[in-house]
Amino acid sequence: MSDFVIIGAGPAGISAANESARYGVKVTLIDENNLPGGQLFTQTHKFFGSREHRAGVRGFQIGYDLIEEINKLNVDVLLDTIVYGISADMEVKYVTEGSSAKSITAGNILISTGALEKPVVFKGWTKPGVMGAGAAQTMMNVHRVLPGRKVLMVGSGNVGLIVAYQLKQAGADVVGIIEAMPSIGGYKVHASKIRRIGIPILTSCTIKEAKGSPQVSSAVIVGVDKNLREISGTEDEIKCDLVCIAAGLKPFDELCWLLNLEFKYINELGGFVPVHNDDLETSMKNIYIAGDAAGVEEASTAMEEGRLVGVAVAQKLEYLSDRQAEKLKGKINDRLKYLRLGSFGKKRAEGKKKLTSISK
Amino acid sequence: MRIKNHPILEDLKNRKKVYITVDGRKVEAYEGEPIAAAMCAAGIRVHRTTPRHNEPRGIFCNRGRCTDCIMKVDGKPNIRTCVTLVKNGMKVESIRGMGDWSE
Ligand SMILES: Cc1cc2nc3c(=O)[nH]c(=O)nc-3n(C[C@H](O)[C@H](O)[C@H](O)COP(=O)(O)OP(=O)(O)OC[C@H]3O[C@@H](n4cnc5c(N)ncnc54)[C@H](O)[C@@H]3O)c2cc1C
Ligand code: FES
């Protein structure tokens, strides 16, 4: 039996563990990887956001700092452990690498399982040499292996821009970034950095085919009109051995689907998201959701959402008085509001409002 | 290709070199890295071919979600090579069609 089982030790899960354990909650934190930190360890660039949210600090460093915090607190951390189901009576079922299946009964559960890359389907998309931008990022930044020498990036959101930059930094030749929409998807700062190092960004352009046998040796790109219809005659074949897909992320919520939680489709948050209230509690009592799993945002918002759940659980278990808890939540919500400003943030704030309004 | 002298990341130190075989070919690897990373460094990109159309597949998600990268490892079929770490002497084989347990 555990007061609080957290599934997924990315920034959201770790922050929830730290915030609740600090007030005395007995926490079990589970992750399938052999190191807590989630997506942070794939990121070598300096984070954007505010000072308070460690802007200017590189992603992996934030990961190390969070781990140091957990090590100081009394948190039970299960690594190399994958959760494959949760029963309606709050039993969390898991398998640790190399041993048989086990389960643990939880008073409260946080699902902070992150997000998954969205694929793009075109002729040849299943060939070796077509992979997710996140996949390529892990290969170079974590394993230190260059996933390709000549790369075409599909998608100009922040992930596409940042990964293209990092590929170039790691020694690959990035032949270009293509974007189906008429304008660049990501932040201007990232786009100008890309242009400065001489990588062309082509808007209103998409990929038609990945060619080569048995693996990619070239890609056919084509111009598209406002309705994203291909304009014939504008095809161009580009030599490359890696096509990276950066078409956005969607919440990775298989465990929530298995529990039959209530979902809503919110485009601004990446797709189907579990409905939740202001404390991030889902349609099932005592089951919480936070981070990218509760709508794709950023590491900074993921950490704040994790903290919010940490406080809510500590309050429920009476480690915090209502007055103390409401004060803490107020502060966290102020910071979240601040993080959801600007043209990108505002959209996500609207998406979140749609979600929480249903649960009222 | 291995990345050396990364402008931001420090070199990975104290990694023990091991060897695995991939379809009989000796491949250099480092302890603690997944099979797929060692294969990628050696330039081997095809992990298997599909049962019906005999199409090649390689790394796609690189995080254990899509199963495109599955291979036979030490006689066990359908192992996700992107999340399975190398061990010295490991025997890795590509899968043609459905995986099987035969030696
Ligand atoms: C290229 C790129 C650049 C980015 N740049 C920035 C930036 O500059 N600033 C910023 O704030 N954000 C940035 N982000 C976003 C940020 O990384 C994510 O929003 C953040 O990591 C989400 O945190 P999380 O805790 O929700 O999920 P994750 O970090 O994805 O963690 C989820 C964890 O749960 C584990 N897990 C999932 N399912 C299970 C299961 N069933 N059992 C056990 N474990 C499980 C996963 O393996 C993972 O470790 C970037 C993202 C990318 C891809
Ligand atoms: S590449 Fe997707 S499971 Fe290995």
Side-chain angles (χ1 to χ4, degrees), chain A residues 46-305:
Chain A
K46 290 185 180 156
F47 268 33
F48 36 82
S50 71
R51 200 38 161 329
E52 237 175 290
H53 292 99
R54 318 291 313 277
V57 177
R58 299 190 192 278
F60 63 92
Q61 188 56 50
I62 302 178
Y64 284 122
D65 296 348
L66 285 175
I67 295 176
E68 205 185 301
E69 245 181 89
I70 312 188
N71 289 341
K72 281 191 215 142
L73 295 161
N74 193 14
V75 174
D76 207 1
V77 186
L78 303 180
L79 297 173
D80 286 317
T81 301
I82 191 157
V83 172
Y84 64 90
I86 302 169
S87 67
D89 53 0
M90 302 289 281
E91 224 184 310
V92 177
K93 298 166 191 298
Y94 62 88
V95 190
T96 303
E97 184 66 34
S99 72
S100 52
K102 292 198 180 81
S103 69
I104 182 168
T105 310
N108 296 276
I109 295 171
L110 168 62
I111 299 174
S112 44
T113 44
L116 201 60
E117 298 193 271
K118 291 181 188 169
V120 176
V121 177
F122 49 88
K123 198 170 168 204
W125 75 288
T126 54
K127 282 188 180 148
V130 177
M131 65 172 84
Q137 197 186 30
T138 302
M139 193 56 92
M140 67 177 161
N141 291 346
V142 180
H143 308 315
R144 310 295 173 83
V145 174
L146 206 59
R149 285 164 199 266
K150 255 177 135 46
V151 190
L152 174 71
M153 181 64 67
V154 180
S156 72
N158 282 325
V159 173
L161 298 175
I162 291 170
V163 175
Y165 186 82
Q166 293 175 354
L167 277 160
K168 176 99 182 181
Q169 221 171 19
D173 173 17
V174 181
V175 292
I177 301 177
I178 59 172
E179 168 60 59
M181 304 306 281
S183 61
I184 294 171
Y187 292 154
K188 264 212 186 83
V189 271
H190 293 312
S192 6
K193 246 170 104 175
I194 286 287
R195 290 214 166 102
R196 272 202 300 275
I197 58 171
I199 299 175
I201 306 178
L202 304 175
T203 51
S204 296
C205 178
T206 191
I207 180 161
K208 189 171 175 150
E209 183 178 356
K211 286 183 160 178
S213 179
Q215 61 212 31
V216 174
S217 55
S218 73
V220 179
I221 60 171
V222 63
V224 291
D225 64 17
K226 269 190 289 204
N227 304 313
L228 303 181
R229 270 192 305 253
E230 289 177 11
I231 305 169
S232 70
T234 60
E235 290 86 356
D236 197 3
E237 190 168 339
I238 301 176
K239 275 207 160 17
C240 59
D241 63 356
L242 178 64
V243 174
C244 274
I245 309 295
L249 299 155
K250 59 178 175 196
F252 181 59
D253 285 323
E254 264 62 1
L255 293 170
C256 301
W257 288 106
L258 286 170
L259 274 168
N260 214 4
L261 299 185
E262 195 182 327
F263 275 83
K264 177 143 177 65
Y265 189 87
I266 312 264
N267 198 29
E268 299 92 318
L269 297 174
F272 281 98
V273 189
V275 171
H276 59 71
N277 65 16
D278 289 332
D279 276 353
L280 296 156
E281 195 168 12
T282 63
S283 58
M284 195 169 149
K285 209 169 165 298
N286 302 335
I287 296 197
Y288 294 81
I289 187 111
D292 281 356
V296 174
E297 296 192 79
E298 294 171 351
S300 42
T301 44
M303 285 186 255
E304 296 295 2
E305 286 198 339

Side-chain angles (χ1 to χ4, degrees), chain A residues 32 34 39 44 58 60 113 115-117 119 125-132 135-136 138-149 166 169-170 214-216 241-242 252, chain B residues 1-12 15 32-34 36-38 40-47 55-63 65 68 80 82-83 85:
Chain A
E32 62 188 322
N34 57 8
Q39 281 294 310
T44 52
R58 299 190 192 278
F60 63 92
T113 44
L116 201 60
E117 298 193 271
W125 75 288
T126 54
K127 282 188 180 148
V130 177
M131 65 172 84
T138 302
M139 193 56 92
M140 67 177 161
N141 291 346
V142 180
H143 308 315
R144 310 295 173 83
V145 174
L146 206 59
R149 285 164 199 266
Q166 293 175 354
Q169 221 171 19
Q215 61 212 31
V216 174
D241 63 356
L242 178 64
F252 181 59
Chain B
M1 195 175 82
R2 301 249 174 216
I3 301 166
K4 293 199 182 94
N5 305 321
H6 195 281
I8 289 168
L9 295 165
E10 272 178 48
D11 279 348
L12 298 173
R15 290 205 304 172
E33 74 181 359
C40 185
I44 308 171
R45 294 185 120 184
V46 180
H47 290 226
E55 289 172 358
R57 293 282 189 273
I59 300 164
F60 186 71
C61 74
N62 203 14
R63 56 181 298 199
R65 304 276 189 252
D68 260 9
R80 295 168 304 165
C82 67
V83 290
L85 305 187

